Each structure stands twice: as structure tokens, then as C-alpha cells.
């Protein structure tokens, strides 16, 4: 993923589960911040996007991946929707 502040990647932004409990903010600098319930910044790290595939690398070394399909992010058994 190329990072450019004037033209961010189309998947940059906030992604949330239907109940709002989990919130992934994909930042334009290739970093992410995940909140869970009342716990802000529960997980942070970097991500890369290739096509519709996303790979996460948590700051603790944990890795995960996901896929964007039809405007929905499928990640680690979760379904996240773009928050507008």
C-alpha cells in the first residue's frame, strides 16, 4: 500500500462491527488502532493492503489478516462495516 496523505487508500477510515463493540481505524500512514468496548487503543500496529487483502502486524508481534468484499471487511471471524 502506498501512503499518500492527499490521496489516501480507499479503505482508510473507521470500520466497526454491527454492534459497535470492535472498531478498527485504518490510518493513512499504514497504522491501525483497534478499540474494543470501552477499551480505547486495545491493539495497535501496522497494516498493508494488497488489492482487497489486508495484513495486520500488531505492535506485540501478533499477525492477522482479512479481506474486503463488497464494502465489508472480514477479519478474524469478525464482520466490520465502514463507518461514515
Amino acid at each position: 500500500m502506498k501512503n499518500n496523505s492527499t490521496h489516501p487508500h480507499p479503505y482508510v477510515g473507521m470500520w466497526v462491527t454491527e454492534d459497535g463493540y470492535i472498531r478498527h481505524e485504518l490510518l493513512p500512514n499504514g497504522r491501525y488502532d483497534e478499540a474494543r468496548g470501552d477499551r480505547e487503543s486495545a491493539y495497535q500496529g501496522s497494516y498493508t493492503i494488497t488489492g482487497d487483502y489486508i495484513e495486520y502486524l500488531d505492535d506485540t508481534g501478533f499477525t492477522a489478516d482479512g479481506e474486503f468484499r463488497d464494502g465489508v471487511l472480514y477479519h478474524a471471524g469478525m464482520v466490520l462495516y465502514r463507518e461514515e
Side-chain angles (χ1 to χ4, degrees):
M1 183 182 98
K2 210 171 184 182
N3 296 317
N4 183 325
S5 60
T6 57
H7 299 291
H9 191 281
Y11 294 139
V12 165
M14 184 66 75
W15 295 84
V16 299
T17 54
E18 190 171 32
D19 62 5
Y21 184 77
I22 297 176
R23 300 171 306 281
H24 284 197
E25 184 174 12
L26 301 180
L27 303 167
N29 64 355
R31 299 279 300 165
Y32 75 90
D33 190 318
E34 178 181 321
R36 290 185 176 231
D38 293 334
R39 187 173 168 209
E40 297 295 324
S41 300
Y43 300 97
Q44 296 176 313
S46 60
Y47 70 89
T48 57
I49 297 174
T50 305
D52 292 326
Y53 178 76
I54 185 168
E55 290 183 276
Y56 296 89
L57 175 59
D58 185 88
D59 289 342
T60 65
F62 178 80
T63 61
D65 63 356
E67 183 180 11
F68 297 92
R69 291 191 314 253
D70 299 320
V72 177
L73 171 56
Y74 297 88
H75 162 66
M78 296 178 277
V79 179
L80 297 104
Y81 303 90
R82 181 182 284 284
E83 183 177 82
E84 298 296 332

